[in-house]
Amino acid sequence: MQLCEWLEDGQDGGSSADQRDEFRGLFEAKALELLHRINPVLEPEVVLLQVSPYEPDEDESFQQITVTSGNTFQSSVLIEGLKSIPHSGNGRRTHDFFADVENALRPLLSKACPGKMVFLSETLDGTLYGHILILIIGGALASKVRWINYPANNPLPPDSLLEAAAEVFITECSAELVGQFPPMFKEIFGIRVQELLRASACNLMRIVAAQAAVSNDDGQEVYEAFESVAAELYEGAPARGSIVVASPTTLGDSIRVLFAEPIIIEPRTCRHIRKLLETTTGSMALLVYSTKRSVNKTRDLSIHGLVDASEIEDVFRVDFKGHRSWELSRGSIQLMRVMAGVPSAPQYESRFRQEASMRFAGLAGIADIERLWNLVSAAPRQKHGTIVIVAADAESEAKRLICTQIDPDRSTFDQSMVEDITAIDGALIFDPKGRCHAMGAILKQGPAKPDLLARMETSPSRGSRYNSAVEYVKFAPSPRLAVVVSVDGSIDVI
């Protein structure tokens, strides 16, 4: 017996509705555990629909869709909307009915879940019923509704680690529903969250594999290739340097060195590639694209040469930060960080937007917060660490601190400017409108009285850059916010 059949029939004297509710709760608990590893502000909710492909007679009540209880989601809106599916007689084919349900669900969920990400998957037991699993994610910075086929057959790769994790999660849920019953009921999803995270990272790398034209859109192959390079040492030193993924035919004059023969990234070449990374500590980066093997005509991820990364935009870039530590970015957007084999998503964007909106309420509007984020998002590119300050009293602070003062009315800042200027010691100071008042500022606290909370947030285990930023922000008489980029690549919003 399949699990979904057991859920339909209410075996062992139990109510099928109660059993579905319990499994929905187990799915939701695992979603919370997984997605909070990506970003703790996310609010996942799981909805489980039982669907019958057999339609009632025209004079009967609509009973085809059954929704599990325990949700905050307004399922009544969904049910009412699904009643609009045209009646076309009993005994319709299951797949036809699911197609109608899918078409009806998309606009309904977009309307019922504004500002949220929604992922759906269908499972069929081959007899009378099927299930539709819906994952609703609140707290994300984007919204969309996406249908995930099971078994996985999704031509479009995900564009964020969150989306990649949602696809992996909902696929695993669907696999549980069509698996054999009984499983270890309380140990459903026995797979560890760390393994789900790794699967999510491999799923995300499908987008890089597509850019590199690797065979079969294999994200796992690309992920493991970068992991292998990050694990190599050169003369005892951990990996540092950069790789860009782009077609050589699109880069033109930005290519500085082109190898006579591409170097395939595989275990026997990783030490050689690690050595080549030593040439990329400045603006240069190794160029990665696929190359075709003549023997079996498959395509392999390969190093083609050296490219000036400062001259190209909107390409995938991998920055190696240390032993088994690397980051994936596209343009100025950081997509993922991997440390000791554990992937994570950058959380500082959501935290920055949230904190800036609260601290500068009345001083900065939505457009101002967006401009601030566009400027601050360039700071993590600084390999030697830096501090960017947003301060309500930026004008007076520029006069008080040791710094190079800037005329905000006659200066124009963009991401490239921020990246260049933060190369010097000291902080860059903006006001809540995104105007720059100082560069190279040496932070020191004024006469404000320290409070216990700020003292607790400083840490001797962190560097002077972090602790000085904590004291400068927490002890301030006016609202301030700091983004601290450490040498090891970690980012703190204070």
Side-chain angles (χ1 to χ4, degrees):
M1 176 184 291
Q2 289 182 332
L3 173 59
C4 54
E5 292 179 89
W6 181 81
L7 290 175
E8 293 157 12
D9 298 334
Q11 301 292 323
D12 302 328
S15 163
S16 59
D18 291 342
Q19 292 158 355
R20 286 194 301 274
D21 291 348
E22 187 162 4
F23 266 83
R24 186 210 65 81
L26 290 170
F27 287 150
E28 189 167 276
K30 184 58 68 172
L32 189 70
E33 184 181 0
L34 171 63
L35 297 182
H36 274 201
R37 290 284 294 273
I38 293 175
N39 193 334
V41 306
L42 297 175
E43 301 172 353
E45 182 175 0
V46 173
V47 179
L48 185 61
L49 306 181
Q50 179 177 285
V51 182
S52 168
Y54 294 97
E55 297 186 8
D57 294 332
E58 292 185 12
D59 59 344
E60 291 181 323
S61 61
F62 191 92
Q63 298 293 331
Q64 294 172 275
I65 310 290
T66 305
V67 186
T68 51
S69 61
N71 295 100
T72 58
F73 175 71
Q74 297 297 316
S75 56
S76 59
V77 176
L78 192 66
I79 295 297
E80 289 300 317
L82 291 176
K83 287 184 180 180
S84 64
I85 297 177
H87 186 279
S88 58
N90 295 329
R92 298 182 63 209
R93 290 186 305 172
T94 303
H95 287 287
D96 291 341
F97 180 74
F98 266 101
D100 289 343
V101 172
E102 177 182 348
N103 292 332
L105 276 177
R106 287 179 182 272
L108 288 171
L109 288 169
S110 296
K111 183 177 180 180
C113 306
K116 297 182 178 181
M117 299 184 74
V118 183
F119 299 84
L120 306 91
S121 177
E122 65 188 44
T123 59
L124 307 175
D125 65 10
T127 56
L128 296 179
Y129 295 99
H131 289 84
I132 295 177
L133 194 72
I134 306 174
L135 174 63
I136 303 169
I137 305 175
L141 294 175
S143 60
K144 65 171 60 177
V145 177
R146 185 168 182 184
W147 195 281
I148 309 299
N149 293 325
Y150 177 81
N153 181 24
N154 306 309
L156 294 177
D159 56 16
S160 69
L161 185 60
L162 170 57
E163 185 173 327
E167 289 186 2
V168 166
F169 168 79
I170 205 166
T171 301
E172 289 293 333
C173 285
S174 299
E176 291 284 354
L177 286 172
V178 299
Q180 292 297 307
F181 182 84
M184 294 296 292
F185 188 80
K186 291 298 182 183
E187 295 182 6
I188 190 170
F189 265 142
I191 186 171
R192 294 182 302 151
V193 168
Q194 186 168 330
E195 295 171 8
L196 288 174
L197 280 171
R198 179 182 172 86
S200 302
C202 293
N203 188 24
L204 175 63
M205 297 304 284
R206 289 171 52 220
I207 194 172
V208 183
Q211 177 71 45
V214 177
S215 60
N216 300 323
D217 199 23
D218 194 345
Q220 181 174 347
E221 175 187 338
V222 178
Y223 177 85
E224 291 177 350
F226 293 141
E227 274 282 86
S228 299
V229 174
E232 286 291 336
L233 300 177
Y234 175 68
E235 296 183 349
R240 291 193 181 276
S242 301
I243 283 175
V244 297
V245 181
S247 171
T249 60
T250 65
L251 297 178
D253 294 339
S254 61
I255 297 178
R256 295 292 183 264
V257 175
L258 198 59
F259 300 151
E261 292 291 336
I263 303 170
I264 296 173
I265 304 178
E266 54 189 356
R268 66 184 181 86
T269 63
C270 282
R271 182 170 295 183
H272 182 197
I273 295 168
R274 168 64 191 92
K275 181 178 179 180
L276 292 174
L277 274 178
E278 292 295 303
T279 66
T280 67
T281 54
S283 63
M284 305 301 289
L286 293 178
L287 173 60
V288 167
Y289 195 67
S290 66
T291 187
K292 184 181 292 185
R293 288 193 183 187
S294 58
V295 178
N296 51 18
K297 297 184 180 181
T298 61
R299 301 192 71 88
D300 298 284
L301 205 63
S302 305
I303 306 290
H304 285 255
L306 285 164
V307 63
D308 188 345
S310 65
E311 296 183 0
I312 53 178
E313 298 178 354
D314 196 31
V315 295
F316 290 104
R317 176 171 175 148
V318 175
D319 293 304
F320 296 91
K321 300 292 187 176
H323 184 58
R324 298 194 65 197
S325 176
W326 55 280
E327 296 175 353
L328 172 68
S329 304
R330 184 169 192 172
S332 63
I333 302 173
Q334 188 186 73
L335 299 176
M336 177 176 66
R337 186 179 189 192
V338 182
M339 294 187 68
V342 180
S344 62
Q347 300 174 12
Y348 69 92
E349 178 179 357
S350 58
R351 178 167 169 77
F352 177 87
R353 291 178 182 273
Q354 182 181 34
E355 292 293 331
S357 298
M358 291 190 300
R359 296 186 200 183
F360 304 119
L363 299 175
I366 296 176
D368 298 323
I369 299 299
E370 184 67 27
R371 171 168 169 74
L372 283 170
W373 167 248
N374 286 336
L375 294 169
V376 168
S377 63
R381 302 180 200 171
Q382 190 50 248
K383 297 179 179 179
H384 303 292
T386 190
I387 301 177
V388 178
I389 299 290
V390 182
D393 55 351
E395 184 176 358
S396 59
E397 283 296 280
K399 298 175 182 177
R400 183 181 72 87
L401 298 173
I402 299 173
C403 65
T404 300
Q405 293 188 45
I406 293 175
D407 184 343
D409 297 323
R410 296 190 296 172
S411 303
T412 302
F413 271 74
D414 56 18
Q415 290 184 342
S416 61
M417 285 285 291
V418 172
E419 185 177 2
D420 291 340
I421 290 178
T422 52
I424 66 172
D425 291 336
L428 196 59
I429 301 181
F430 291 96
D431 64 24
K433 294 292 185 180
R435 303 188 309 160
C436 187
H437 290 260
M439 56 184 283
I442 307 302
L443 302 182
K444 64 177 181 179
Q445 185 53 43
K449 184 179 179 180
D451 57 60
L452 178 60
L453 177 61
R455 287 295 184 200
M456 291 172 63
E457 291 187 15
T458 57
S459 171
S461 65
R462 303 297 300 271
S464 60
R465 179 182 288 117
Y466 173 86
N467 287 313
S468 63
V470 168
E471 293 189 357
Y472 183 74
V473 170
K474 299 297 182 180
F475 299 166
S478 300
R480 295 174 187 165
L481 184 149
V483 175
V484 181
V485 181
S486 301
V487 176
D488 65 359
S490 61
I491 305 167
D492 295 281
V493 178
I494 300 170

